[in-house]
Amino acid sequence: MAATYELIYWPGAPGRGEHIRLALEEAGASYSDTARLDAQKCADIVWAQMSDNNLGDKNTSPPYAPPILKDGDLLISQTPNILMYLGQRLGLVPSTPEENDIYKINALVLTALDGLSNEVHDCHHPIAKELYYEEQKTEALRRSKEFIKTRLPKFLAYFEKVLKGEASGNGPWLYGGTFTYADLVLFQICLFQPQTDSQNLASSVYRKRDGVREKS
Amino acid sequence: MAATYELIYWPGAPGRGEHIRLALEEAGASYSDTARLDAQKCADIVWAQMSDNNLGDKNTSPPYAPPILKDGDLLISQTPNILMYLGQRLGLVPSTPEENDIYKINALVLTALDGLSNEVHDCHHPIAKELYYEEQKTEALRRSKEFIKTRLPKFLAYFEKVLKGEASGNGPWLYGGTFTYADLVLFQICLFQPQTDSQNLASSVYRKRDGVREKS
């Protein structure tokens, strides 16, 4: 039987594709993943989507970049956008959602991706994504130090505050006392980080990481 | 009569608040705007939202940062999230929307904000938002040159491609042959930029800017 969803993403690195994979895996969804193909074949599929010649079709604008999700004829790009779509279809939102829950969860996801995923990526490429790391190593070092000193604690403290707030349902989940795809995003972001002293202020965030890990 | 919506944003700079203002203005919505208050009073309201003591309430997590939109008891943060909410309520999406139009418009908005708003902001603060421009001037100059050389043409070319694609309805609008809030976002981003030689590749994008201007 053909897989329900198709994920189009670069081979060889978890990256932003991994946020989508975690949602699909958590829900036990049937999906194919270009990253499981031969690397060259996968790259060809991604580049075809981004090609100057790809003008999309009558229903769909061309995507800017992967991750890209296909669901039948539907093609969706942009990580938080794909997650919002899948979250509702895969049961990764409250089971009896209030009318505006989706915006509340989306705000948490956008904040987590901005501060703890995009900014981390930019630490490695502070001048331009088109330049090699070696060409911007001095700036990368300076930016990384500042990120660890000011930005990381700021975002971790924010999510601590969210977890302390009543709308989280007193934890361990971020919103509505129930596991949502926002928890998966924060989990992935924290997954590869050791809990250092400077992160002790974010003990609830890290406890949450361990909570998601144990859930699986 | 009390205004329907309340926009909470910093005083003195259009910034990300302006994306929300344009949507509200375009639709002729009734709204109040903290930026119209005395600067100190406005800043006090914004800081209270971001305070360590603000844990939100039982329905709403605390916002990370402005812009913040209040609609009665509902409080929404994050620019693309607010725009998605307002776009549907203010008639800034196709008048007979297909089921998944909202995701297609959101993808365009997220891409425009990422590449042409956030990255421009970061040109000014490539090391850390917490440091003054003067403390990162060398890096800012290097990043700005790279942005103009590689990133700006890449994003402008992308929107040219979108406008050429069939899903735009052959222009002048980005999606579905109709004016949407995505057009307002791209309009604002192009508004303050002169059309230089290097931007001639993006002539449709700039014609679109003029189209939105004439529409008003």
Side-chain angles (χ1 to χ4, degrees):
Chain A
M1 200 184 79
T4 306
Y5 300 105
E6 181 185 354
L7 173 62
I8 299 177
Y9 196 71
W10 301 113
R16 294 181 141 249
E18 196 76 357
H19 290 293
I20 317 299
R21 275 180 208 115
L22 278 189
L24 291 161
E25 289 288 339
E26 170 64 28
S30 150
Y31 72 104
S32 63
D33 185 341
T34 58
R36 289 188 198 145
L37 300 172
D38 165 79
Q40 186 57 52
K41 198 170 172 188
C42 171
D44 288 347
I45 294 172
V46 176
W47 280 118
Q49 285 288 345
M50 297 167 73
S51 155
D52 290 346
N53 299 323
N54 179 22
L55 301 179
D57 62 27
K58 72 179 169 55
N59 296 313
T60 310
S61 308
Y64 176 72
I68 298 161
L69 183 84
K70 274 194 176 179
D71 179 8
D73 290 337
L74 180 68
L75 181 147
I76 307 183
S77 61
Q78 287 285 357
T79 307
N81 199 32
I82 299 171
L83 288 172
M84 184 185 250
Y85 175 82
L86 281 179
Q88 295 172 84
R89 275 153 192 82
L90 299 179
L92 301 172
V93 295
S95 55
T96 52
E98 298 288 325
E99 191 191 358
N100 294 310
D101 276 355
I102 192 67
Y103 298 103
K104 296 174 184 183
I105 297 169
N106 192 35
L108 296 168
V109 169
L110 287 164
T111 304
L113 289 173
D114 273 356
L116 298 165
S117 181
N118 303 348
E119 290 204 17
V120 173
H121 175 273
D122 291 352
C123 281
H124 210 245
H125 291 83
I127 300 300
K129 293 178 179 69
E130 285 75 9
L131 296 175
Y132 289 111
Y133 167 65
E134 284 70 21
E135 296 174 279
Q136 49 193 312
K137 218 168 158 176
T138 313
E139 294 92 342
L141 188 61
R142 191 172 173 214
R143 177 159 176 152
S144 300
K145 277 186 185 160
E146 289 295 332
F147 179 78
I148 291 166
K149 195 172 83 183
T150 56
R151 303 293 291 166
L152 180 61
K154 202 165 173 172
F155 280 97
L156 290 177
Y158 170 70
F159 284 104
E160 283 286 299
K161 203 166 72 163
V162 170
L163 287 167
K164 269 187 217 150
E166 222 185 328
S168 74
N170 299 316
W173 312 122
L174 284 168
Y175 183 70
T178 187
F179 180 82
T180 72
Y181 70 91
D183 295 298
L184 282 176
V185 171
L186 198 57
F187 166 71
Q188 183 191 333
I189 285 165
C190 296
L191 186 61
F192 301 108
Q193 292 180 39
Q195 185 172 344
T196 64
D197 282 351
S198 72
Q199 289 159 10
N200 278 338
L201 76 143
S203 53
S204 322
V205 174
Y206 283 85
R207 268 200 306 278
K208 219 175 76 53
R209 172 187 69 178
D210 298 332
V212 175
R213 192 181 265 149
E214 282 154 21
K215 187 175 174 297
S216 302
Chain B
M1 200 184 80
T4 307
Y5 300 105
E6 181 184 355
L7 172 62
I8 299 177
Y9 196 69
W10 299 113
R16 294 182 141 248
E18 196 76 356
H19 290 294
I20 317 300
R21 276 181 207 114
L22 279 188
L24 291 162
E25 289 287 339
E26 172 64 28
S30 152
Y31 72 105
S32 64
D33 185 342
T34 57
R36 291 190 197 141
L37 300 172
D38 165 78
Q40 186 56 53
K41 197 169 172 188
C42 171
D44 288 347
I45 294 172
V46 176
W47 281 118
Q49 285 289 344
M50 297 166 72
S51 154
D52 291 347
N53 299 323
N54 178 22
L55 300 179
D57 62 27
K58 73 180 170 51
N59 296 312
T60 311
S61 309
Y64 175 72
I68 299 160
L69 183 83
K70 275 194 175 178
D71 179 8
D73 290 337
L74 179 67
L75 182 147
I76 306 182
S77 61
Q78 286 285 359
T79 307
N81 199 32
I82 298 171
L83 288 172
M84 183 184 250
Y85 176 81
L86 281 180
Q88 295 173 85
R89 276 153 192 82
L90 299 179
L92 302 172
V93 296
S95 55
T96 51
E98 298 288 325
E99 191 192 358
N100 293 310
D101 275 355
I102 194 67
Y103 298 103
K104 296 174 184 184
I105 298 170
N106 192 35
L108 296 168
V109 169
L110 287 164
T111 305
L113 290 174
D114 273 356
L116 298 166
S117 181
N118 303 347
E119 289 204 18
V120 173
H121 176 273
D122 290 352
C123 281
H124 210 245
H125 291 82
I127 300 302
K129 293 179 180 67
E130 285 74 10
L131 294 176
Y132 288 112
Y133 168 65
E134 285 70 19
E135 296 174 280
Q136 48 193 312
K137 218 167 159 177
T138 313
E139 294 92 343
L141 187 62
R142 192 174 172 213
R143 176 158 177 155
S144 301
K145 277 186 185 161
E146 290 294 332
F147 179 78
I148 291 167
K149 194 172 83 183
T150 56
R151 302 295 291 166
L152 180 61
K154 203 165 172 175
F155 279 98
L156 291 178
Y158 170 70
F159 284 104
E160 283 285 299
K161 203 167 72 165
V162 170
L163 287 168
K164 269 187 218 151
E166 222 185 327
S168 73
N170 299 314
W173 313 123
L174 285 168
Y175 183 71
T178 189
F179 179 82
T180 72
Y181 71 91
D183 294 298
L184 283 176
V185 172
L186 198 56
F187 167 71
Q188 182 191 334
I189 285 165
C190 297
L191 187 62
F192 301 107
Q193 292 180 38
Q195 184 172 346
T196 63
D197 282 350
S198 72
Q199 289 160 9
N200 278 338
L201 76 141
S203 53
S204 321
V205 173
Y206 282 86
R207 270 201 305 280
K208 218 174 74 54
R209 172 187 68 179
D210 299 333
V212 175
R213 194 182 262 150
E214 282 154 23
K215 187 176 173 297
S216 302

